[in-house]
Amino acid sequence: MFENFLADMGERPADKQLDRIDNNAGYSPENCRWVSAKENGRNRSNNRLLTLNGETLPLAAWVERTGFSLATLQGRVRMGWPDERVLTEPARARGEKRHLTVNGVTKPLSAWCAELGLSATTVRHRLQKQGMTAAEALGLS
C-alpha cells in the first residue's frame, strides 16, 4: 500500500505537507499534492471564503492582500456585509468618530444620539446587526 503511494506521490519534499485539492474527494494521485503548511491551512473546508472581482480566496489570504487586520474583516463578515464591502471599504482609524449622514446632514454619532436621546450602543446595533440605514437607526425615516 505505502509503496503505491510512494510511486504515485514521491518522497515528501522538505517543509511540505500532503494536501487534497478537493477536500470532498479521496486521496487519489490526481487529487493530492505537496504544499506548504500555510497553503494547506488555507485549503480547509471550514475556511471563510470571500469573492471580489471573480477571485475567491480564504479570509487569511485577503488579510495579506488588502492590508486590513483579521479582526476588521471578521467583524465585517459577522455584521453580514457583502464580500465587496468587506474587502474594499476603508477602515476607520482607531478612535476615529463614526459619522452618520441623514438627509444630507452629517454629524458624529454622538451628536445624533445626544440630539435624539438615543444610546450610541443601540444605534450601532441597529446599523451593524439589524442592517438598518442611518435614518432608520436614528428613527428619522
Side-chain angles (χ1 to χ4, degrees):
M1 187 84 139
F2 177 73
E3 292 78 23
N4 293 338
F5 170 82
L6 188 59
D8 290 337
M9 296 300 300
E11 294 282 340
R12 179 174 73 99
D15 300 322
K16 298 292 181 180
Q17 300 177 351
L18 186 64
D19 176 59
R20 287 183 295 158
I21 297 165
D22 178 352
N23 291 318
N24 295 317
Y27 284 91
S28 62
E30 55 277 351
N31 192 46
C32 291
R33 61 187 173 178
W34 296 110
V35 297
S36 67
K38 179 178 179 178
E39 187 174 359
N40 199 9
R42 291 183 176 179
N43 190 31
R44 295 174 50 122
S45 59
N46 65 345
N47 276 338
R48 177 63 165 92
L49 302 175
L50 300 176
T51 302
L52 180 65
N53 299 326
E55 184 175 18
T56 301
L57 297 170
L59 197 58
W62 285 116
V63 167
E64 291 176 357
R65 179 84 56 96
T66 64
F68 291 125
S69 72
L70 180 61
T72 294
L73 295 185
Q74 286 175 327
R76 291 172 173 190
V77 168
R78 273 195 306 277
M79 289 187 288
W81 289 15
D83 289 1
E84 182 176 358
R85 184 175 176 204
V86 168
L87 297 169
T88 60
E89 185 162 310
R92 288 192 321 268
R94 199 157 195 71
E96 180 182 327
K97 292 188 176 192
R98 180 180 197 139
H99 288 75
L100 300 178
T101 301
V102 177
N103 298 327
V105 178
T106 301
K107 299 179 192 178
L109 174 60
S110 57
W112 282 112
C113 291
E115 180 181 318
L116 300 169
L118 296 170
S119 155
T121 301
T122 298
V123 174
R124 280 193 300 271
H125 177 81
R126 290 173 177 174
L127 291 166
Q128 296 171 353
K129 303 291 184 186
Q130 297 179 358
M132 292 182 174
T133 66
E136 291 168 337
L138 294 169
L140 298 174
S141 62

Coordinates of all heavy atoms in Angstrom, one line a residue, residues 69-103:
S69 N -6.8 44.3 9.0 CA -6.5 43.3 10.1 C -7.5 42.2 10.0 O -8.6 42.3 9.4 CB -6.6 43.9 11.4 OG -7.9 44.2 11.8
L70 N -7.2 41.0 10.5 CA -8.1 39.9 10.5 C -9.3 40.2 11.3 O -10.4 39.9 10.9 CB -7.4 38.6 11.1 CG -8.2 37.4 11.2 CD1 -8.7 36.9 9.8 CD2 -7.5 36.3 11.9
A71 N -9.1 40.9 12.4 CA -10.3 41.3 13.3 C -11.2 42.2 12.5 O -12.5 42.1 12.6 CB -9.8 42.0 14.5
T72 N -10.7 43.2 11.7 CA -11.6 44.0 10.9 C -12.4 43.2 9.9 O -13.6 43.4 9.8 CB -10.7 45.1 10.2 OG1 -10.1 45.9 11.1 CG2 -11.6 45.9 9.2
L73 N -11.8 42.3 9.2 CA -12.5 41.6 8.2 C -13.5 40.6 8.8 O -14.6 40.5 8.4 CB -11.5 40.8 7.3 CG -10.6 41.7 6.4 CD1 -9.8 40.8 5.5 CD2 -11.4 42.7 5.6
Q74 N -13.1 40.0 9.9 CA -14.0 39.1 10.6 C -15.2 39.8 11.2 O -16.3 39.3 11.1 CB -13.3 38.3 11.8 CG -12.3 37.3 11.3 CD -11.5 36.7 12.5 OE1 -11.2 37.4 13.4 NE2 -11.2 35.4 12.3
G75 N -15.0 41.0 11.7 CA -16.1 41.8 12.2 C -17.1 42.2 11.1 O -18.3 42.1 11.3
R76 N -16.6 42.6 10.0 CA -17.4 42.9 8.9 C -18.2 41.7 8.4 O -19.4 41.9 8.0 CB -16.6 43.5 7.7 CG -15.9 44.8 8.1 CD -15.0 45.3 7.0 NE -14.5 46.7 7.3 CZ -13.8 47.4 6.5 NH1 -13.4 46.9 5.3 NH2 -13.4 48.6 6.8
V77 N -17.6 40.6 8.3 CA -18.3 39.4 7.9 C -19.4 39.1 8.9 O -20.6 38.8 8.5 CB -17.3 38.2 7.8 CG1 -18.1 36.9 7.6 CG2 -16.4 38.4 6.6
R78 N -19.1 39.1 10.2 CA -20.1 38.9 11.3 C -21.3 39.8 11.2 O -22.4 39.5 11.5 CB -19.5 39.0 12.6 CG -18.9 37.7 13.1 CD -18.6 37.8 14.6 NE -17.8 38.9 15.0 CZ -16.4 38.9 15.0 NH1 -15.8 37.9 14.5 NH2 -15.8 40.0 15.4
M79 N -21.0 41.1 10.7 CA -22.1 42.0 10.6 C -22.9 41.8 9.3 O -23.9 42.5 9.1 CB -21.5 43.5 10.6 CG -21.0 43.9 11.9 SD -20.5 45.6 12.0 CE -19.0 45.6 11.0
G80 N -22.5 40.8 8.5 CA -23.3 40.5 7.3 C -23.1 41.4 6.1 O -23.9 41.4 5.2
W81 N -21.9 42.1 6.1 CA -21.6 42.9 5.0 C -21.4 42.0 3.7 O -20.9 40.9 3.8 CB -20.3 43.7 5.2 CG -20.4 44.8 6.2 CD1 -21.4 45.0 7.1 CD2 -19.5 45.8 6.4 NE1 -21.1 46.1 7.9 CE2 -19.9 46.6 7.4 CE3 -18.3 46.1 5.8 CZ2 -19.2 47.7 7.9 CZ3 -17.6 47.2 6.2 CH2 -18.0 48.0 7.3
P82 N -21.8 42.5 2.5 CA -21.4 41.8 1.3 C -19.9 41.7 1.1 O -19.2 42.6 1.6 CB -22.1 42.5 0.2 CG -22.7 43.8 0.8 CD -22.5 43.7 2.3
D83 N -19.4 40.7 0.5 CA -18.0 40.5 0.3 C -17.3 41.7 -0.3 O -16.2 42.1 0.2 CB -17.7 39.3 -0.7 CG -18.0 38.0 -0.1 OD1 -18.5 37.9 1.1 OD2 -17.8 37.0 -0.7
E84 N -17.9 42.4 -1.3 CA -17.2 43.5 -1.9 C -17.0 44.6 -0.8 O -15.9 45.2 -0.8 CB -18.0 44.1 -3.1 CG -17.3 45.3 -3.7 CD -18.0 45.8 -5.0 OE1 -19.1 45.2 -5.4 OE2 -17.6 46.7 -5.5
R85 N -18.0 44.9 0.0 CA -17.9 45.9 1.0 C -16.9 45.5 2.1 O -16.1 46.4 2.5 CB -19.2 46.2 1.6 CG -19.2 47.3 2.6 CD -20.6 47.7 3.2 NE -20.5 48.7 4.2 CZ -21.3 48.9 5.2 NH1 -22.4 48.2 5.2 NH2 -21.2 49.8 6.1
V86 N -16.9 44.3 2.5 CA -15.9 43.8 3.5 C -14.5 44.1 3.0 O -13.7 44.5 3.8 CB -16.1 42.2 3.7 CG1 -14.9 41.6 4.5 CG2 -17.4 41.9 4.4
L87 N -14.2 43.9 1.7 CA -12.9 43.9 1.2 C -12.4 45.3 0.7 O -11.3 45.5 0.4 CB -12.7 42.9 0.1 CG -12.9 41.4 0.6 CD1 -13.0 40.5 -0.6 CD2 -11.8 41.0 1.6
T88 N -13.4 46.2 0.5 CA -13.0 47.5 -0.1 C -13.3 48.7 0.7 O -12.7 49.7 0.5 CB -13.7 47.6 -1.5 OG1 -15.1 47.6 -1.3 CG2 -13.3 46.5 -2.5
E89 N -14.2 48.6 1.7 CA -14.5 49.9 2.4 C -13.3 50.2 3.3 O -12.8 49.4 4.1 CB -15.7 49.7 3.3 CG -16.1 51.0 4.0 CD -17.6 50.9 4.5 OE1 -18.5 50.6 3.7 OE2 -17.8 51.3 5.7
P90 N -12.8 51.5 3.3 CA -11.7 51.8 4.1 C -12.0 51.7 5.6 O -13.1 51.9 6.0 CB -11.5 53.3 3.7 CG -12.2 53.5 2.4 CD -13.3 52.5 2.4
A91 N -11.0 51.3 6.3 CA -11.1 51.1 7.8 C -11.0 52.5 8.4 O -10.2 53.3 8.0 CB -10.1 50.2 8.3
R92 N -11.8 52.7 9.5 CA -11.6 53.9 10.3 C -10.4 53.8 11.1 O -10.1 52.7 11.6 CB -12.9 54.1 11.2 CG -14.1 54.5 10.4 CD -15.2 55.0 11.4 NE -15.3 54.3 12.6 CZ -16.1 53.2 12.8 NH1 -16.9 52.8 11.8 NH2 -16.2 52.6 14.0
A93 N -9.8 54.9 11.3 CA -8.6 54.9 12.3 C -9.1 54.7 13.7 O -10.2 55.0 14.0 CB -7.9 56.3 12.2
R94 N -8.3 54.0 14.5 CA -8.7 53.7 15.8 C -9.0 55.0 16.6 O -8.3 55.9 16.5 CB -7.5 53.0 16.5 CG -7.9 52.2 17.8 CD -6.9 51.1 18.0 NE -7.3 50.1 19.0 CZ -8.2 49.2 18.7 NH1 -8.8 49.2 17.6 NH2 -8.5 48.3 19.6
G95 N -10.2 55.0 17.2 CA -10.6 56.2 17.9 C -11.3 57.2 17.1 O -11.8 58.2 17.6
E96 N -11.3 57.0 15.8 CA -12.0 58.0 14.9 C -13.5 57.9 15.1 O -14.1 56.8 15.2 CB -11.7 57.6 13.4 CG -12.3 58.6 12.4 CD -12.0 58.1 11.0 OE1 -10.9 57.6 10.7 OE2 -12.9 58.3 10.1
K97 N -14.1 59.1 15.2 CA -15.5 59.1 15.5 C -16.3 58.7 14.2 O -16.0 59.0 13.1 CB -16.0 60.5 15.9 CG -15.5 60.9 17.2 CD -16.1 62.2 17.6 CE -15.7 62.6 19.0 NZ -16.4 63.6 19.6
R98 N -17.4 57.9 14.5 CA -18.3 57.5 13.4 C -19.2 58.6 13.1 O -19.8 59.2 14.0 CB -19.0 56.3 13.8 CG -19.9 55.8 12.8 CD -20.7 54.5 13.2 NE -21.2 53.9 12.0 CZ -21.2 52.7 11.7 NH1 -20.8 51.8 12.6 NH2 -21.7 52.2 10.6
H99 N -19.3 58.9 11.8 CA -20.3 60.0 11.4 C -21.4 59.3 10.6 O -21.2 58.4 9.8 CB -19.5 61.0 10.5 CG -18.6 61.9 11.2 ND1 -17.4 61.5 11.7 CD2 -18.7 63.2 11.6 CE1 -16.8 62.5 12.3 NE2 -17.6 63.5 12.3
L100 N -22.6 59.9 10.7 CA -23.8 59.4 10.0 C -24.3 60.6 9.2 O -24.4 61.7 9.7 CB -24.8 58.9 11.0 CG -24.4 57.7 11.9 CD1 -25.6 57.3 12.8 CD2 -24.0 56.5 11.0
T101 N -24.8 60.3 8.0 CA -25.4 61.3 7.2 C -26.9 60.9 7.0 O -27.2 59.8 6.5 CB -24.7 61.4 5.8 OG1 -23.3 61.7 6.1 CG2 -25.3 62.4 4.9
V102 N -27.8 61.8 7.3 CA -29.2 61.7 7.1 C -29.7 62.9 6.4 O -29.5 64.0 6.9 CB -29.9 61.4 8.4 CG1 -31.4 61.3 8.2 CG2 -29.4 60.2 9.1
N103 N -30.4 62.7 5.3 CA -31.0 63.8 4.5 C -30.0 64.9 4.3 O -30.2 66.1 4.4 CB -32.2 64.4 5.3 CG -33.3 63.4 5.4 OD1 -33.5 62.6 4.6 ND2 -34.0 63.5 6.5

